[in-house]
Amino acid sequence: MTAAIEVDGLRKSFRSRAVTVEAVRGITFAVPGGTVFGLLGPNGAGKTTTLRMLTTLLPIDGGTATVAGVDVARQPATVRQRIGYVSQAGGADDLATGRENLRLQGALYGAARGQLEGRVAELVERLDLSPFADRRVRTYSGGQRRRLDVALGLVHRPQVLFLDEPTTGLDPQNRAHLWEHVRSLADDGTTVVLTTHYLEEADALCDQVVIVDHGQVVAEGTPEALKREVVGESLSLTVRDPGRLDDALGAVQAVDGVLDGTIDGAEVRLRVGDGSAVLPAVLGMLQARGVDVESVNLARPSLDDVFLARTGRSLRDAGGPRAEVAGE
């Protein structure tokens, strides 16, 4: 399968208050055409900076990137003709209707009026905009606005569509609807690249993912392949007294079948060989030590477990208080 995007040794630094921060430090990956590709990572990891370089919004400091067959650094104008980009903030005019926004976007890309009306009608139907397409955007709900944002990114029929945190702030129903639309785009041949901090979103949508941390790739592959690399199952325990977390971890690590463990926020997280066999022994050990357990969750490995195995930290909490650099 031909690569829609090829990235080799990509680098980007920012200078602030006489301090240079390396936001992206030699990232390399390839995106097959007609797939959904996920860039995952905690806040400050470099994923949004990478996306902005690929979409020509930030200059590249080092390395090379080719998008839709075009060198990003040498031919940025051609790249912009071949891609669509939906930012976290969106780009619709609140005072115009959805249909008017689509017409304007198409005109900016030079579409002929006769062709444009057909394309607008097609997108209104495809993204289920009909009930509100002729209302002003300021009246839209969050889910309606995000569907319009995606439609705006598709007006000129891009080969590659970039989505930066496309479902942030949406309720589960609207998120699921948008997932369906994104999946259908890839099924029809559009390459979709998205950043997201929703791990279940990446698992459900993405054909391949790259997980970045501190500006570098720490894992790459299909979600299923990456999860298979994590041996065992994930067992999470919430204890009634947070002051007993260290005691709880020390106790359960002595149980046969517990491969390793860590404290993650208010939970003790364990990697176990056979969850159904180990769980009774773990609970028995905690009861013997006088540690009260509030909740237990046993699950197959997730993308968060992949990140935990590679970095020793949870992807859900790794953003922490670290300040994000400019452009990140």
Coordinates of all heavy atoms in Angstrom, one line a residue, residues 16 23 25 46 92 119 172 223 262 287 315:
S16 N 12.1 30.0 24.5 CA 11.3 30.8 25.4 C 12.1 31.1 26.7 O 12.6 30.3 27.3 CB 10.0 30.0 25.8 OG 9.2 30.8 26.7
A23 N 10.5 20.2 21.2 CA 9.1 19.6 21.2 C 9.0 18.3 20.5 O 8.3 17.4 20.8 CB 8.2 20.7 20.7
R25 N 11.6 15.4 18.6 CA 13.0 15.1 18.5 C 13.2 13.8 17.7 O 13.4 12.7 18.2 CB 13.5 14.8 20.0 CG 13.3 16.0 20.9 CD 14.0 15.7 22.2 NE 13.3 14.7 23.0 CZ 13.8 14.0 24.0 NH1 15.1 14.3 24.4 NH2 13.1 13.1 24.7
G46 N 4.3 16.3 21.9 CA 4.8 16.7 20.6 C 3.8 16.3 19.4 O 4.1 16.6 18.3
A92 N -15.4 27.7 11.6 CA -16.7 28.2 11.0 C -17.0 29.6 11.5 O -16.7 30.0 12.6 CB -17.8 27.3 11.4
R119 N -21.3 19.8 -4.5 CA -20.4 19.3 -3.4 C -21.0 19.7 -2.1 O -21.0 18.9 -1.1 CB -19.0 19.9 -3.6 CG -18.0 19.5 -2.5 CD -17.8 18.0 -2.5 NE -16.7 17.6 -1.6 CZ -16.5 16.4 -1.2 NH1 -17.4 15.4 -1.6 NH2 -15.5 16.1 -0.4
P172 N -21.0 11.1 24.6 CA -20.7 9.8 24.0 C -21.5 9.5 22.7 O -20.9 8.9 21.8 CB -21.1 8.8 25.1 CG -20.8 9.6 26.4 CD -21.2 11.0 26.0
P223 N -3.3 -1.1 16.8 CA -3.7 -1.2 18.2 C -3.7 -2.7 18.7 O -3.2 -2.9 19.8 CB -5.1 -0.7 18.2 CG -5.2 0.3 17.1 CD -4.3 -0.3 16.0
T262 N 2.1 -1.0 39.9 CA 2.5 0.4 40.1 C 1.3 1.1 40.7 O 0.1 0.6 40.6 CB 2.9 1.1 38.8 OG1 3.3 2.4 39.0 CG2 1.7 1.2 37.8
Q287 N -7.2 -8.3 52.3 CA -8.0 -8.5 53.5 C -7.2 -8.9 54.7 O -7.4 -8.4 55.8 CB -9.1 -9.5 53.2 CG -10.1 -9.7 54.3 CD -11.1 -10.7 54.0 OE1 -11.0 -11.6 53.2 NE2 -12.3 -10.6 54.7
L315 N -0.7 6.8 30.3 CA -1.0 7.7 29.2 C -2.1 8.7 29.6 O -2.1 9.8 29.3 CB -1.3 7.0 27.9 CG -1.6 7.9 26.7 CD1 -0.4 8.8 26.4 CD2 -1.9 7.0 25.5

